[in-house]
């Protein structure tokens, strides 16, 4: 029943088109689907963490852009938004006991935390790369859905690299 509810929710969400934002809704849905799919398939927590980090950054950038469009400003707005998103993500992973398992480490750090950090920086770098490419091309994208493709490809590539590293450690 919950899978049917999720499918209906996703289908309803796709009926509403939004104007382009700092990170578009399609990208957020795609990254979110990547997180859910990786956990459902039993993929390593480090890989899931990468997608969680990317999704968190996407939501942060989207929220800041939305507040800008609505002209909602307050002291330390960006810092508060960043803190709250990461706080709620980590709290939602800590409460059910997903974080800090002693045998779930990579380089001495919890795999999910390591993945979130990696995913955060990779996603930020991919947003920077997209903006750089657009600026270099006179404000135009090189190809359709570049804004979506670059972050997703970046997260996929780093996930593949870590997957190969994890498999070679076994």
């Amino acid at each position: 029943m919950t899978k049917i509810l999720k499918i209906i929710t996703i289908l309803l969400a796709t009926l509403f088109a939004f104007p382009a934002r700092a990170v578009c809704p399609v990208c957020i849905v795609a990254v979110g689907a990547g997180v859910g799919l990786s956990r459902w398939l039993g993929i390593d927590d480090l890989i899931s963490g990468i997608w969680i980090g990317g999704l968190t950054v996407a939501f942060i950038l989207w929220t800041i852009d939305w507040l800008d469009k609505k002209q909602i400003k307050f002291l330390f707005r960006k810092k508060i938004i960043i803190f709250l998103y990461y706080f709620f993500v980590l709290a939602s992973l800590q409460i059910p006991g997903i974080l800090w398992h002693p045998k779930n480490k990579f380089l001495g750090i919890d795999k999910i935390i390591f993945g979130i950090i990696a995913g955060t920086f990779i996603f930020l770098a991919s947003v920077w790369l997209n903006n750089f490419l657009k600026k270099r091309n006179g404000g135009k994208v090189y190809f359709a859905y570049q804004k979506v493709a670059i972050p997703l490809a970046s997260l996929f590539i780093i996930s593949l690299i870590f997957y190969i590293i994890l498999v070679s450690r076994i």
Side-chain angles (χ1 to χ4, degrees):
M1 183 65 183
T2 59
K3 287 184 183 181
I4 294 171
L5 185 60
K6 287 179 187 177
I7 292 169
I8 291 171
T9 303
I10 291 169
L11 290 174
L12 287 174
T14 60
L15 294 175
F16 302 98
F18 297 99
R21 304 260 193 261
V23 177
C24 69
V26 174
C27 192
I28 289 176
V29 170
V31 174
V35 172
L37 184 63
S38 67
R39 294 291 297 184
W40 183 69
L41 293 173
I43 294 174
D44 193 87
D45 281 344
L46 191 144
I47 307 302
S48 296
I50 289 170
W51 290 84
I52 293 168
L55 180 63
T56 304
V57 172
F59 273 119
I60 289 168
L61 294 175
W62 202 26
T63 302
I64 290 170
D65 189 59
W66 182 83
L67 291 173
D68 286 344
K69 299 254 190 260
K70 299 289 183 182
Q71 297 180 353
I72 299 171
K73 299 184 188 290
F74 50 89
L75 193 59
F76 304 117
R77 177 179 59 139
K78 290 180 182 178
K79 291 177 182 175
I80 290 170
I81 291 167
I82 292 167
F83 171 79
L84 287 175
Y85 269 104
Y86 281 104
F87 173 79
F88 285 118
V89 164
L90 294 173
S92 68
L93 294 169
Q94 175 60 36
I95 290 169
I98 295 173
L99 294 179
W100 312 117
H101 190 279
K103 294 185 179 186
N104 195 32
K105 294 186 182 218
F106 181 77
L107 299 177
I109 302 171
D110 183 86
K111 284 183 175 182
I112 294 176
I113 299 293
F114 190 95
I116 289 172
I117 293 167
T120 294
F121 286 109
I122 291 299
F123 198 91
L124 285 172
S126 68
V127 169
W128 176 86
L129 177 61
N130 176 61
N131 291 335
F132 171 78
L133 291 172
K134 265 182 71 175
K135 186 177 180 181
R136 187 172 172 203
N137 197 28
K140 298 177 184 173
V141 295
Y142 282 97
F143 56 92
Y145 299 104
Q146 173 181 310
K147 190 182 221 180
V148 176
I150 290 175
L152 289 179
S154 299
L155 290 173
F156 178 77
I157 290 167
I158 197 68
S159 295
L160 187 60
I161 290 168
F162 278 114
Y163 177 77
I164 292 167
I165 291 168
L166 291 169
V167 168
S168 68
R169 292 179 77 196
I170 296 176

